[in-house]
């Protein structure tokens, strides 16, 4: 496998794009050697679903698209980032007992940490942000 692989897709900020983002990520990870039925693939699908949903719901129509970037470096680390052009960064919300939503970032952070990775948020040159995770690549390197 190559030292560095990348895949990117830009989708409209529409609820139907969440499943398109999930399918794209699943296909790319499968091409890179991660079995679709693995626990790691399930975790990554959940994370991309949460990130894409946030990009659609919390930009209030002010980001016409969002971009999903995947990078695999040296079969060691997976980077998954979702970028939108809205300036509002994810908010840390109090865990209210009756709160029906707002737990996506808590879920993402917990899943990334459980897998030995991390969560980050960084600004983009156009005033938006990228919310990303890095995870150890769960597929053993081929000799």
């Amino acid at each position: 496998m190559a030292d560095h692989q990348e895949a990117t897709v830009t989708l409209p900020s529409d609820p139907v794009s969440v499943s398109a983002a999930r399918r794209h990520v699943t296909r790319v990870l499968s091409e890179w050697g991660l079995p679709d039925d693995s626990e790691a693939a399930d975790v990554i699908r959940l994370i991309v679903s949460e990130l894409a949903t946030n990009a659609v719901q919390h930009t209030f129509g002010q980001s016409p698209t969002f971009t999903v970037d995947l990078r695999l470096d040296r079969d060691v680390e997976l980077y998954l980032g979702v970028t939108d052009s809205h300036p509002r960064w994810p908010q840390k919300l109090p865990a209210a007992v009756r709160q029906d939503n707002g737990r996506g970032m808590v879920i993402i952070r917990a899943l990334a940490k459980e897998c030995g990775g991390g969560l980050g948020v960084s600004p983009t040159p156009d005033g938006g942000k990228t919310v990303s995770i890095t995870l150890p690549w769960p597929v053993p390197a081929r000799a």
Side-chain angles (χ1 to χ4, degrees):
M1 192 173 279
D3 281 349
H4 183 84
Q5 297 186 79
E6 294 185 16
T8 300
V9 65
T10 298
L11 299 163
S13 287
D14 185 280
V16 298
S17 294
V18 174
S19 60
R22 196 171 43 247
R23 284 190 306 272
H24 170 76
V25 167
T26 299
R27 181 184 51 76
V28 169
L29 295 178
S30 179
E31 290 172 4
W32 292 351
L34 183 64
D36 290 348
D37 61 351
S38 69
E39 183 177 338
D42 289 343
V43 167
I44 295 167
R45 278 191 290 271
L46 178 55
I47 290 171
V48 76
S49 290
E50 291 291 337
L51 291 175
T53 297
N54 286 351
V56 170
Q57 288 184 345
H58 299 295
T59 58
F60 308 105
Q62 295 178 25
S63 180
T65 62
F66 67 92
T67 300
V68 178
D69 291 304
L70 289 164
R71 288 194 310 263
L72 178 58
D73 291 317
R74 300 188 182 276
D75 289 341
V76 173
E77 184 176 71
L78 175 70
Y79 167 92
L80 169 82
V82 175
T83 302
D84 63 62
S85 59
H86 193 276
R88 182 173 174 230
W89 283 36
Q91 304 294 308
K92 287 186 177 181
L93 300 175
V97 175
R98 299 181 189 270
Q99 190 173 332
D100 291 334
N101 59 20
R103 293 187 178 95
M105 294 303 292
V106 172
I107 292 168
I108 294 165
R109 184 182 312 280
L111 288 171
K113 185 176 179 180
E114 184 177 298
C115 295
L119 170 73
V121 182
S122 57
T124 61
D126 68 353
K129 80 268 182 201
T130 300
V131 181
S132 62
I133 56 128
T134 55
L135 299 173
W137 183 239
V139 179
R142 296 180 194 139

